[in-house]
Amino acid sequence: MPDFSAPDGTRLAHHLRGSGEPLVVLPGGPMRASGYLGDLGGLDAHRQLVLLDLRGTGQSAVPADPATYRCDRLVDDVEALRLHLGLERMDLLAHSAGGSLAMLYAARYPERLSRLALITATPWALGLPATAEQRRAAARLRASEPWFPQAFPAFEAWLSGSGDFDPVFLPFFYGRWDDTARAHADREEDETNDDAADVYGADGAYDPAATRAALTRVAAPVLVLAGEADGGPSPALARRTAEAFPKAELAVQPGAGHYPWLDDAEWFTRRVTAFFSGQGQGQGQGSDD
């Protein structure tokens, strides 16, 4: 398990999977250990995945200053990883909440990116949280599922603020609620640093106007991949993320939820590999949807 030192001295771990050209991967959660990403549906057969455990998660050390869990503060850790790997420019993939970290990195270090893939990325950094109605609309697409009658009222209560997060509605985050999805969901609590997650989006973490302005200078091609059945972000919200970049393409994976590599590994791997090999659309605001 390789490790390196962040600028403040915190020891950070990263995990290598596969071989070939390195692809740096930022996990979501927020603040979930990178293990939940697995091999990203077999993407490690095409690239060497460099999976970063953000500070205080997985095998990375807990920092002396908890304020450094804030998303904008974590940009320094991503840049330290690039330097540790000896890369002049890097391909970067980020999932979910990690997408906001990747956007802040792109805004600060646009010249250090070769290509960027944002996978079901939460665009908090752009001032675009998923709305309750977007999540409800996606949830209603699952009305024929056997678990829906029990899950939807609890989901509604959570969205309205009248109920707590309830594992009964976890199926809404997966395109297929099968044994693989259940096992994946069961790991989340043990893999997430809740205290760090509370700090990730704290006051001052995001400056959407400044980030939007900076992203107009990103010359690297960007893939924004959404799940057709995901409510956070919905495909429509993912399109708005793509619009923040000069050279972005939108792909909507059929039937996928928030973890698309679990729902259809072949589709996911084929689309992401094509993008990083330069075979994506690459014509501005392209779309597969």
Side-chain angles (χ1 to χ4, degrees):
M1 185 271 300
D3 67 352
F4 64 101
S5 182
D8 66 353
T10 304
R11 298 302 296 177
L12 302 177
H14 64 285
H15 307 267
L16 303 177
R17 288 181 175 267
S19 59
E21 291 295 315
L23 172 59
V24 175
V25 180
L26 305 181
M31 304 307 289
R32 184 173 179 180
S34 66
Y36 81 95
L37 296 162
D39 61 8
L40 284 172
L43 195 58
D44 64 337
H46 306 272
R47 300 290 296 264
Q48 182 181 63
L49 305 182
V50 183
L51 300 148
L52 176 63
D53 280 341
L54 299 176
R55 54 180 54 215
T57 73
Q59 292 181 284
S60 288
V62 173
D65 181 5
T68 60
Y69 289 133
R70 206 173 71 177
C71 187
D72 60 320
R73 303 281 296 274
L74 296 174
V75 171
D76 291 336
D77 294 352
V78 180
E79 175 64 357
L81 176 57
R82 182 191 66 81
L83 293 170
H84 170 72
L85 296 172
L87 300 174
E88 182 67 20
R89 296 191 302 166
M90 64 179 173
D91 285 343
L92 184 64
L93 180 151
H95 174 244
S96 188
S100 280
L101 174 56
M103 291 177 217
L104 295 185
Y105 181 85
R108 194 182 304 177
Y109 296 104
E111 74 284 358
R112 297 306 184 188
L113 287 177
S114 294
R115 287 178 175 268
L116 169 64
L118 299 170
I119 308 302
T120 59
T122 311
W124 296 323
L126 301 177
L128 295 173
T131 67
E133 189 47 48
Q134 288 166 347
R135 292 187 181 276
R136 286 190 192 96
R140 291 187 184 106
L141 298 175
R142 316 295 294 280
S144 63
E145 303 275 0
W147 43 263
F148 182 89
Q150 182 181 10
F152 190 70
F155 194 52
E156 280 266 51
W158 177 63
L159 291 174
S160 68
S162 62
D164 294 328
F165 190 94
D166 189 331
V168 73
F169 57 71
L170 283 172
F172 288 125
F173 295 89
Y174 295 84
R176 296 185 303 181
W177 187 240
D178 54 16
D179 289 343
T180 298
R182 291 185 186 91
H184 188 265
D186 285 345
R187 293 166 48 187
E188 181 172 8
E189 184 174 356
D190 289 339
E191 292 177 335
T192 302
N193 183 333
D194 290 330
D195 291 337
D198 289 340
V199 178
Y200 190 83
D203 288 348
Y206 308 121
D207 183 342
T211 299
R212 287 177 178 278
L215 292 181
T216 63
R217 299 191 294 271
V218 175
V222 178
L223 170 67
V224 180
L225 189 148
E228 182 183 31
D230 192 9
S234 65
L237 185 57
R239 181 180 294 280
R240 294 180 68 187
T241 298
E243 291 169 351
F245 295 90
K247 295 173 60 177
E249 55 192 84
L250 172 68
V252 180
Q253 182 170 326
H258 199 60
Y259 306 93
W261 64 91
L262 296 179
D263 297 320
D264 187 340
E266 182 178 354
W267 194 102
F268 175 83
T269 302
R270 182 175 64 247
R271 187 64 181 84
V272 174
T273 301
F275 169 71
F276 279 113
S277 63
Q279 300 171 22
Q281 293 179 352
Q283 301 294 325
Q285 302 298 330
S287 175
D288 291 346
D289 63 332

